[in-house]
Amino acid sequence: MNKRDSEALAARLTGVYHYTLAASEEDADVVLLNTCSVRDGADQKAIGKMQMLIGQARVHHRQCIFGFLGCMAQAQGERLMTLLPGLNLVLGTHRYHLLGDYLSELVQGKQSRIVDCGGVKECPPFFDEHLMAANTAAEEEDKDGAAHLSPTAYVNIMHGCNQHCTYCIVPETRGHEFSRSIDGIVKECRSLADSGVKEITLLGQIVTSFGRFDIPVSEDGRSGFVQLLDAIAEIDGLERIRFTAPHPKGYGKDLVEAYGRIPKLCESAHIPVQSGSDRILKLMHRGYTAERFLEIIDQLREVQPTIGLATDIIVGFPGETEEDFQATVDLVRRVHFDNVFLFKYSPRQNTPAAVMPDQIPQEVKEDRHARLLQVVNELAQASYEQKVGATVEVLVEGVSRRNVNRLQGRSRCNKIVVFEGPAEWVGTIRKFKVTRAGQYSLYGEPV
Ligand code: SAH
Ligand code: SF4
């Protein structure tokens, strides 16, 4: 989500306010860090990075404006100014439309520091349309018409979350759920497809709740979210649709069926389970049981047997016993995920879990994390190796991250595939035979 926000803000600053993107932090006159606050580690990393940037600018006697945006700015506000002398701007998640004006004031020296975290509970309805208008302006400025350089793009479909999982800071930093209109989203996706985008990932904190307050369920039982998928699938030129993050409670019959019915919907799903223990799931306020989660997985595999499956898991939630932890290990083994994002529970301010009894000692969290990670890696490796010999369809995304002489893309089930080929392949969909499996990647030869 932050990546998408950063792209939109950069487009607005370059398109409307005539900034240019600097080649590196050292060359920049304005440095903005768009931050995440979901875990303490991310907070610490952002603060460390900002400290280093401000320090470097001082050493080299460089005049530079430094700002924090995003969830961490929203949650910490004024505190960041006290913590980091030399910081000029702290802007909350719902005040992005003011960024350009604030920067003008700072650059012109009318102000030296601005903190604006506004109200977060009411999301201004113009938020996205505002940023979109900026994108469009930036695209129009682009003389080659090559508005979007990558064949893949992210599109925000909603903001905020009302689920209030007891460990999660998102409802505090991003506010109430608010969905964009299907028409607005389709228009944005169509314009991306027209500029060469082949794959769109729909973004939101709880995308499966999209439209639940304002789009009635259709006569054939499709939720607002599935209606949106159907509408996007109609767009010519667009070949692939993905989404993140869904909530297990959103996997009704309509969404499961959509995987069989909509060819553009990639057979891959990242469904956060968080724990395999019903007791912990209840304490987390997740709203489902391990059994229900497994039922969803079985239903999805019935419709798409080769579906790629990923999840998020938190270990060391308050009160988690060894037995609870083992239930999570069992669930991971039973599902055999292709990828698991594993987190150690991190207490966040103003969340119910932070003051729950039986907080788990750090060394126990570390130990459980290490044990589960080993299981996760073994299972993932097996699932990657199973693909050797198979033919996969890949959208070529660009140069391989590890080796500039190779290209890489992703299979429909969301596995990275690395291969040799000419640069003209970027943006095309091609078939590859998998010759070997690496760690969380596949190597292929064109078919
Ligand atoms: N809205 C999404 C993603 C939320 S943040 C969802 O509901 O899944 C991404 C992941 O970070 C979560 O899925 C969770 O596994 C992890 N996470 C969130 N808060 C956390 C916390 N306080 N400590 C540790 N992990 C956390
Ligand atoms: Fe946070 Fe996701 Fe739960 Fe919403 S559904 S409260 S974003 S973890």
Side-chain angles (χ1 to χ4, degrees), residues 38 160-171 177 205-206 245-247 272 274 284-286 314:
V38 155
C161 181
N162 290 2
Q163 179 66 25
H164 291 279
C165 300
T166 52
Y167 52 82
C168 184
I169 199 169
V170 167
E177 256 169 66
Q205 294 294 350
I206 184 158
H247 189 284
Q274 313 300 359
M284 287 177 164
H285 193 237
R286 289 290 294 177
I314 299 176

Side-chain angles (χ1 to χ4, degrees), residues 13 41 119 149 152 157 175 241 261 267 288 296 326 339 375 397 403 418 438 446:
L13 290 180
L149 295 174
T152 61
I157 63 167
I241 306 170
R261 198 170 52 73
E267 45 274 26
Y288 52 86
I296 295 167
Q326 281 306 327
N339 204 351
V375 175
E397 291 179 17
N403 181 341
V418 180

Side-chain angles (χ1 to χ4, degrees), residues 3 31 43 54 75 84 134 140 146 177 201 208 223 249 271 318 322-323 341 357 368 378 387 392 408:
K3 193 171 164 196
V31 178
D43 273 18
I54 294 176
L84 291 161
E140 278 165 7
E177 256 169 66
T201 303
T208 38
S223 61
K249 73 179 183 183
I271 320 175
E322 179 62 24
E323 200 185 342
F341 296 86
R368 288 180 187 164
E378 275 166 23
K387 288 275 174 201
V392 289
Q408 75 169 44

Side-chain angles (χ1 to χ4, degrees), residues 42-71:
D43 273 18
Q44 295 308 328
K45 213 166 133 188
I47 290 173
K49 168 117 189 165
M50 187 59 94
Q51 236 157 6
M52 187 201 74
L53 290 170
I54 294 176
Q56 274 179 349
R58 281 227 178 100
V59 170
H60 296 104
H61 305 285
R62 268 194 319 112
Q63 284 289 337
C64 191
I65 306 288
F66 291 102
F68 265 127
L69 320 173
C71 290

Side-chain angles (χ1 to χ4, degrees), residues 170-359:
V170 167
E172 159 130 351
T173 56
R174 296 269 170 173
H176 288 316
E177 256 169 66
F178 167 83
S179 296
R180 293 177 59 194
S181 70
I182 292 188
D183 284 353
I185 297 166
V186 168
K187 206 168 139 203
E188 184 178 351
C189 293
R190 193 174 289 130
S191 116
L192 286 166
D194 289 345
S195 65
V197 168
K198 296 284 191 318
E199 176 182 303
I200 282 180
T201 303
L202 305 175
L203 290 181
Q205 294 294 350
I206 184 158
V207 286
T208 38
S209 292
F210 171 82
R212 70 183 170 122
F213 301 122
D214 28 48
I215 304 173
V217 173
S218 66
E219 272 175 22
D220 56 357
R222 288 172 306 134
S223 61
F225 180 59
V226 175
Q227 292 175 49
L228 174 69
L229 294 177
D230 275 318
I232 294 174
E234 295 281 309
I235 297 172
D236 285 337
L238 188 67
E239 306 284 351
R240 290 175 162 198
I241 306 170
R242 302 182 191 274
F243 54 82
T244 193
H247 189 284
K249 73 179 183 183
Y251 281 80
K253 200 165 153 243
D254 61 331
L255 182 52
V256 172
E257 278 176 4
Y259 275 96
R261 198 170 52 73
I262 307 177
K264 290 184 185 179
L265 183 58
C266 287
E267 45 274 26
S268 115
H270 181 155
I271 320 175
V273 65
Q274 313 300 359
S275 170
S277 152
D278 289 345
R279 205 177 65 80
I280 297 295
L281 286 171
K282 201 162 183 187
L283 285 173
M284 287 177 164
H285 193 237
R286 289 290 294 177
Y288 52 86
T289 59
E291 193 187 334
R292 171 63 192 140
F293 184 84
L294 292 170
E295 188 180 68
I296 295 167
I297 299 297
D298 289 345
Q299 288 170 349
L300 286 171
R301 283 195 165 136
E302 212 164 285
V303 176
Q304 283 292 355
T306 60
I307 191 165
L309 291 169
T311 197
D312 292 352
I313 288 176
I314 299 176
V315 294
F317 185 82
E320 185 189 68
T321 61
E322 179 62 24
E323 200 185 342
D324 294 317
F325 171 70
Q326 281 306 327
T328 303
V329 178
D330 289 349
L331 181 136
V332 166
R333 287 194 188 282
R334 162 84 203 279
V335 177
H336 202 136
F337 292 102
D338 299 273
N339 204 351
V340 176
F341 296 86
L342 206 51
F343 305 105
K344 287 166 254 178
Y345 170 70
S346 153
R348 310 312 294 138
Q349 66 186 21
N350 303 331
T351 57
V355 289
M356 279 181 186
D358 304 321
Q359 298 284 327

